[in-house]
Amino acid sequence: MKVPSIKKEHIIQIAAVFIIGILCCVNLTKLNFVAVLNDEFGYWGNAALLAGYDWSDLVVETPYYSMGYSIWLIPIILLSSSPEIWYKMAILLNAAFLVASYFLCCNTARRFFPKINYAVLCGISLLVVIYPGNIVYAQVAWSESLQYMVFWAITCLIVQLDEKYSFKKIIGIIALLVYLYCVHARNIIIVLVALLCLLLVLIKNKQPIRYYILAFLVLVIGYFAIEMVKEYQLTVLWNNSEASDLNNIGLNSVTFSSYFQRLLNYGKLFIESLGGKLIFLIIGSGMTIGAVFVQVASDTWKNLKSKKYFNDMHISKLWCVCSVIAMWAATGLQMIQWTTRKDYIVYSRYIEQSLGPILLLGLMYILLNVSGMKLGTLIAAGVFALGFRSIYYRIMEAESYFNSICSPVIGAFYDTVEDKAAAFINISSLIILYFIVIMGISYLKKNNYRVLIMMVVFGISFSVIGYKGSTYMNTSRESLEANTFPIKEEIQQNVDKTIYYVLDAGADEYSKNPKFIQFMIPDRTIHVIQRRDLKDVCKEDAFILTNPGDDSAVNYLNGISSVTFIASTSRLNLYECFEEEQALGIEN
């Protein structure tokens, strides 16, 4: 019996799955609880409430988060009672999302470049998916990996639709767009870009306008269905709290008005914000984005001159370019006041889900040495040289902190060295390396050498940046563990006591600190109370949590003989009181 041979591309794909899994799960033993608040708690809070746990008092103190990712967490919660197992399963789920993204990328690459050896495309697709931000985000239980996968699924269908018209695929794209919006409202800009591309598809294939109207109606029905789910969440789960207004955006006059006013009042900051995020795009894409923009612009011009508007998968390429431009502009407007936080000037998290197809095109254009490759690379290098010094000073002069989890590519450099100036020297050195490699590849005649150099340089640099970006989160988790576990362990020793947290919104915005404890003890409810309620609570058999900086509550509790101080960390104080004891009143 003849044993069928294993194709080279299959070996590469198996190796790719293994590499993606290792990079995502290398820190799995350390990933046991939520660390990025309020994002993670919002998603878990949705799922926990629907799975039967009562976290309602702290959920209403949380900004609004959509249900699209939470529905994946509900079965995880139902399968186990251990929050540590929940969290690890969520990380494994993220790894699965990236593996699926890899195969979608391979499929897309084969359709974009049908004449290129599929094994090469599988190798390049691995580079695309192990982009540093993906690896960092996959180690947090939030929606980023899911959004990346759904965006790739939409891209794959648009490319297939560009090849051969199918109304079923249009409906499939609409369904994915509705779901992507359900995962996070910021994707509304992606929906708008996709609608324009679908209109071009119908024009290209000379389809009646009724098909577009029908597809649009499906999208509208999906949008209002999501709005109904949102209304349920806000009313039943969030109790229409003040905190739930944050992140609650949609196609309404309030959203449009707020963004228009922001653009009107902060025009100069908006330009600076766009410049900072453009510098990120150059760094994050390994300088390949210049080649993509120049090549697609050149193809567009040729198609316009020849009046063959849709040649060479042009709608698909416009989708890739316009999506990242739209998210760049939207993120530039949303994260506009970099003085609020250092990372806002180079904030990347909202852009990166759309960066995958650009990175695929960029790496392939460099590998193929297309006509616009050198010009695009030179333009990218020039923009970086002109703008990076300004970005450096903007980051250094901002008095607030740099939140690396929202800009991990820059943060990988910024947070891992004591000398901040050295971090920016390292970034510049990396860009110089990319420039030398990209330009040098163009002079190599053998494709095997080009592929090898690209796999080594980009593979190593992406992996190192991803590892260093993860280091920031792991260090934060160690600090969180030291400041939450002592409190959790004390509470777990007495399962009968009611648990209260004294609201201190001024010092602990959105009551973040007790949310760590709530996740760790999911079957117990932490009740949020005002300071004036302490006089009644102190008469109960209860634990009381306070913010260490809440002097009013701390002084009051320390002055009552029936209340016992149990433990303190930099995040929380824990007190114990007993039902038979009486307490004095407290001033509001």
Side-chain angles (χ1 to χ4, degrees):
M1 179 179 177
K2 185 178 180 181
V3 178
S5 59
I6 300 176
K7 293 182 178 180
K8 186 185 296 185
E9 56 264 27
H10 293 160
I11 296 174
I12 293 173
Q13 288 178 333
I14 292 169
V17 170
F18 181 77
I19 290 169
I20 293 168
I22 290 295
L23 290 174
C24 291
C25 301
V26 65
N27 296 310
L28 192 61
T29 57
K30 301 177 182 178
L31 306 179
N32 300 314
F33 56 90
V34 294
V36 180
L37 294 182
N38 286 291
D39 301 63
E40 289 190 278
F41 190 84
Y43 293 125
W44 284 104
N46 277 332
L49 289 170
L50 293 176
Y53 293 93
D54 183 6
W55 299 2
S56 54
D57 276 21
L58 285 172
V59 168
V60 300
E61 292 294 322
T62 306
Y64 168 77
Y65 287 90
S66 302
M67 190 66 75
Y69 174 63
S70 298
I71 60 177
W72 293 86
L73 302 178
I74 295 172
I76 289 176
I77 292 175
L78 295 175
L79 284 171
S80 173
S81 60
S82 167
E84 289 190 10
I85 293 177
W86 295 354
Y87 204 84
K88 292 182 188 300
M89 290 178 69
I91 302 306
L92 293 174
L93 185 63
N94 285 344
F97 290 148
L98 288 188
V99 168
S101 300
Y102 169 72
F103 285 105
L104 289 166
C105 182
C106 289
N107 186 290
T108 303
R110 181 165 55 183
R111 296 174 187 278
F112 265 136
F113 306 100
K115 296 180 180 179
I116 303 300
N117 188 303
Y118 187 47
V120 172
L121 297 177
C122 291
I124 298 299
S125 296
L126 174 61
L127 292 181
V128 172
V129 175
I130 63 169
Y131 164 81
N134 289 341
I135 302 306
V136 176
Y137 297 146
Q139 297 177 59
V140 180
W142 56 1
S143 64
E144 304 308 314
S145 300
L146 173 60
Q147 291 181 79
Y148 187 76
M149 179 190 73
V150 177
F151 187 85
W152 264 116
I154 294 169
T155 301
C156 191
L157 279 179
I158 286 177
V159 171
Q160 292 179 28
L161 194 61
D162 206 2
E163 281 185 324
K164 183 179 180 181
Y165 176 78
S166 166
F167 188 68
K168 289 182 180 179
K169 285 188 172 64
I170 288 181
I171 296 301
I173 291 169
I174 293 292
L176 287 170
L177 289 170
V178 169
Y179 179 65
L180 187 61
Y181 176 71
C182 185
V183 175
H184 204 293
R186 71 177 186 250
N187 293 304
I188 192 66
I189 194 73
I190 295 295
V191 175
L192 298 177
V193 173
L195 282 177
L196 292 175
C197 290
L198 292 181
L199 179 59
L200 291 177
V201 167
L202 291 173
I203 293 172
K204 172 186 176 181
N205 292 278
K206 300 179 180 178
Q207 296 296 311
I209 194 66
R210 66 175 179 270
Y211 287 116
Y212 188 80
I213 294 173
L214 179 58
F216 184 74
L217 286 175
V218 173
L219 179 64
V220 170
I221 292 169
Y223 173 80
F224 281 108
I226 291 171
E227 290 299 302
M228 290 175 63
V229 173
K230 181 194 288 189
E231 187 62 30
Y232 169 84
Q233 287 180 266
L234 293 172
T235 303
V236 177
L237 305 183
W238 262 269
N239 197 26
N240 289 316
S241 65
E242 183 179 348
S244 67
D245 284 340
L246 188 67
N247 288 346
N248 182 11
I249 61 173
L251 294 176
N252 53 58
S253 59
V254 175
T255 299
F256 285 116
S257 176
S258 66
Y259 277 83
F260 179 75
Q261 287 297 323
R262 187 178 297 183
L263 184 60
L264 197 64
N265 296 330
Y266 303 105
K268 183 180 177 182
L269 279 178
F270 177 56
I271 299 300
E272 283 193 88
S273 179
L274 287 177
K277 291 158 188 66
L278 180 58
I279 293 297
F280 151 72
L281 285 170
I282 293 170
I283 299 170
S285 68
M287 284 194 76
T288 65
I289 195 167
V292 177
F293 279 25
V294 169
Q295 187 63 38
V296 172
S298 175
D299 291 344
T300 302
W301 178 245
K302 288 177 183 177
N303 288 350
L304 288 172
K305 284 204 306 181
S306 65
K307 295 185 179 181
K308 296 178 180 179
Y309 305 111
F310 304 113
N311 271 3
D312 196 26
M313 306 290 288
H314 201 62
I315 294 175
S316 300
K317 292 172 184 175
L318 286 176
W319 155 255
C320 297
V321 169
C322 291
S323 294
V324 80
I325 290 175
M327 292 307 293
W328 167 50
T331 304
L333 186 56
Q334 190 163 6
M335 305 302 171
I336 195 171
Q337 292 176 284
W338 52 265
T339 51
T340 304
R341 230 170 58 191
K342 288 176 182 286
D343 63 291
Y344 275 12
I345 192 70
V346 288
Y347 192 98
S348 63
R349 183 161 66 95
Y350 284 8
I351 310 174
E352 286 167 300
Q353 71 189 67
S354 59
L355 192 56
I358 289 291
L359 191 54
L360 170 64
L361 290 175
L363 291 172
M364 288 305 302
Y365 284 163
I366 288 163
L367 191 64
L368 296 173
N369 193 19
V370 296
S371 58
M373 187 273 285
K374 288 183 179 178
L375 176 60
T377 303
L378 287 170
I379 291 174
V383 171
F384 179 85
L386 290 172
F388 190 56
R389 183 174 180 272
S390 175
I391 302 307
Y392 164 75
Y393 282 113
R394 290 290 178 262
I395 292 176
M396 296 301 287
E397 71 188 26
E399 296 180 358
S400 53
Y401 69 102
F402 191 101
N403 187 16
S404 285
I405 191 59
C406 290
S407 190
V409 172
I410 307 296
F413 296 88
Y414 184 85
D415 278 310
T416 53
V417 296
E418 293 183 4
D419 181 2
K420 300 307 179 186
F424 292 94
I425 292 173
N426 291 341
I427 293 175
S428 299
S429 300
L430 179 66
I431 287 295
I432 292 170
L433 173 63
Y434 284 148
F435 181 80
I436 292 172
V437 168
I438 291 171
M439 299 302 282
I441 280 177
S442 65
Y443 295 100
L444 294 176
K445 295 183 179 180
K446 291 190 176 181
N447 286 334
N448 289 343
Y449 290 158
R450 292 182 181 181
V451 174
L452 179 61
I453 291 172
M454 182 173 288
M455 292 299 297
V456 170
V457 172
F458 282 90
I460 291 176
S461 64
F462 281 6
S463 298
V464 170
I465 296 170
Y467 170 77
K468 287 186 173 293
S470 301
T471 301
Y472 169 80
M473 278 307 303
N474 293 334
T475 302
S476 298
R477 287 181 187 279
E478 291 173 3
S479 175
L480 284 170
E481 184 173 338
N483 285 288
T484 52
F485 272 46
I487 303 293
K488 180 205 72 168
E489 290 169 356
E490 290 287 348
I491 291 175
Q492 285 182 322
Q493 291 178 13
N494 191 326
V495 296
D496 298 323
K497 285 184 177 291
T498 307
I499 309 167
Y500 295 96
Y501 172 73
V502 184
L503 186 66
D504 183 24
D508 183 16
E509 187 181 21
Y510 303 118
S511 303
K512 288 184 179 181
N513 291 332
K515 291 172 184 173
F516 298 109
I517 305 295
Q518 180 66 89
F519 182 84
M520 295 174 188
I521 50 171
D523 55 342
R524 313 254 320 257
T525 300
I526 297 179
H527 302 277
V528 178
I529 60 172
Q530 302 286 339
R531 291 188 184 96
R532 61 178 174 268
D533 300 320
L534 277 174
K535 60 183 177 182
D536 297 320
V537 169
C538 288
K539 301 173 185 178
E540 300 181 20
D541 190 22
F543 284 121
I544 301 175
L545 295 167
T546 70
N547 184 348
D550 188 353
D551 294 336
S552 176
V554 169
N555 291 337
Y556 175 75
L557 292 169
N558 287 338
I560 299 178
S561 59
S562 60
V563 175
T564 304
F565 172 77
I566 301 297
S568 178
T569 70
S570 65
R571 289 185 175 271
L572 289 167
N573 287 343
L574 177 64
Y575 297 85
E576 184 177 16
C577 54
F578 300 92
E579 188 175 359
E580 65 269 23
E581 302 292 343
Q582 298 298 316
L584 300 174
I586 185 171
E587 294 182 3
N588 290 335

